Amino acid sequence: MAVAWCALAPILWAVSGSLKPEGTLSDPNPLPTAPRWSTYAEVFSSIPLGRMLLNTTVYAACVTAGQVFFCSLAGYAFARLRFPGREALFLAYLATLMVPLTVTVIPQFLLMRAFGWMDTPWAMIVPGLFGSAFGTYLMRQFFRGLPMELEEAATLDGCTPWQTYWRVLLPHARPAVMVLAVLTWITVWNDFLWPLIMIQRNEYATATLGLLRLQGQYTTNWPLLMAAAILLLLPLLLIYAVAQRSFIRGIAMSGLGGR
């Protein structure tokens, strides 16, 4: 319970601060005496937040779909198909998790510039589209836990490896797919560094860049900034509320729950 309150305290403080008048954020009273709900409307008049939320939703949806498809495909290959060097290749791929994000930013930036994708949606979608080491590891662990009888029955029915993956094993991997989809969506939604480097125009900006553009050079309207942060948080809470059961079940069945 104490840990839960520690996690919720910053969110509750931001909600309270967003309803206070500007300049009263340090008021010792945690609850606003006269809540200013108009602050949330001011966010949309200060920045094109609707457009930014739409951009972020499109980017997150595309990257999530790509991650789910390619990670599940790679996870199936590493878990079920036998080919020379499979384990060594998987360990080498898994080792890329130890490479810091900042190391890959500059090469990715140079690639985006060479392709002419600077300040375009492609720069936000393509780099994360083709899977990740963590997603591949997650799907591999889940596929390894499925009964071999499923694959044997599919082979006896004349299924090819692709048909076995698509029609037999992937439908049974829905919990792991849900975990990967939720984690990927949250990662893309909260990403700040990559959009900051790639995107300049509000036409393609993400919601996290909107938070940056609400900050002034010398002063910042903190209630306005907190209201925008709460608006960005609401879609994530909705997604988790809808996918909560499948998410927890997928964590437990994939072996990531510490069991």
Side-chain angles (χ1 to χ4, degrees):
M1 182 64 72
V3 174
W5 275 111
C6 290
L8 290 174
I11 300 175
L12 297 177
W13 183 72
V15 172
S16 173
S18 68
L19 298 175
K20 292 181 178 181
E22 187 178 3
T24 63
L25 197 62
S26 58
D27 191 335
N29 185 8
L31 299 177
T33 53
R36 294 183 70 253
W37 297 101
S38 59
T39 305
Y40 287 87
E42 290 180 31
V43 174
F44 290 91
S45 61
S46 301
I47 57 173
L49 185 61
R51 174 72 183 190
M52 293 176 175
L53 289 173
L54 177 61
N55 291 340
T56 309
T57 301
V58 172
Y59 300 153
C62 292
V63 173
T64 299
Q67 288 275 334
V68 167
F69 176 71
F70 288 105
C71 288
S72 63
L73 196 61
Y76 166 72
F78 283 122
R80 297 292 190 170
L81 302 183
R82 298 189 178 277
F83 53 89
R86 182 184 68 171
E87 297 301 324
L89 180 60
F90 177 72
L91 289 176
Y93 189 37
L94 200 61
T96 60
L97 287 172
M98 295 186 292
V99 179
L101 175 64
T102 51
V103 173
T104 62
V105 166
I106 294 178
Q108 288 184 353
F109 171 81
L110 295 176
L111 283 174
M112 295 302 103
R113 188 175 64 178
F115 292 153
W117 289 348
M118 296 288 294
D119 207 15
T120 68
W122 299 113
M124 296 301 304
I125 295 174
V126 174
L129 193 64
F130 299 103
S132 63
F134 171 77
T136 301
Y137 169 75
L138 174 68
M139 297 306 301
R140 173 183 178 268
Q141 293 300 104
F142 194 92
F143 281 131
R144 289 185 66 181
L146 294 178
M148 290 297 298
E149 289 77 7
L150 292 173
E151 191 171 1
E152 291 172 356
T155 302
L156 290 175
D157 288 339
C159 291
T160 63
W162 166 258
Q163 291 172 327
T164 301
Y165 154 76
W166 185 255
R167 296 182 178 181
V168 179
L169 296 185
L170 189 60
H172 285 83
R174 287 179 182 175
V177 167
M178 185 63 69
V179 171
L180 180 59
V182 171
L183 293 179
T184 303
W185 188 287
I186 292 175
T187 300
V188 177
W189 189 274
N190 292 331
D191 192 14
F192 175 72
L193 177 61
W194 187 246
L196 181 64
I197 297 173
M198 288 288 107
I199 304 298
Q200 300 296 325
R201 290 179 287 177
N202 284 338
E203 181 182 358
Y204 304 124
T206 61
T208 52
L209 291 181
L211 295 180
L212 177 65
R213 291 169 188 179
L214 281 175
Q215 300 183 41
Q217 183 176 2
Y218 301 106
T219 60
T220 298
N221 186 337
W222 291 107
L224 189 68
L225 187 61
M226 288 183 175
I230 295 300
L231 290 174
L232 265 65
L233 180 63
L234 291 179
L236 297 182
L237 293 178
L238 178 62
I239 290 173
Y240 183 75
V242 172
Q244 179 182 10
R245 290 185 179 181
S246 298
F247 183 83
I248 295 175
R249 180 167 174 258
I251 287 289
M253 295 181 66
S254 61
L256 298 179
R259 296 185 180 182

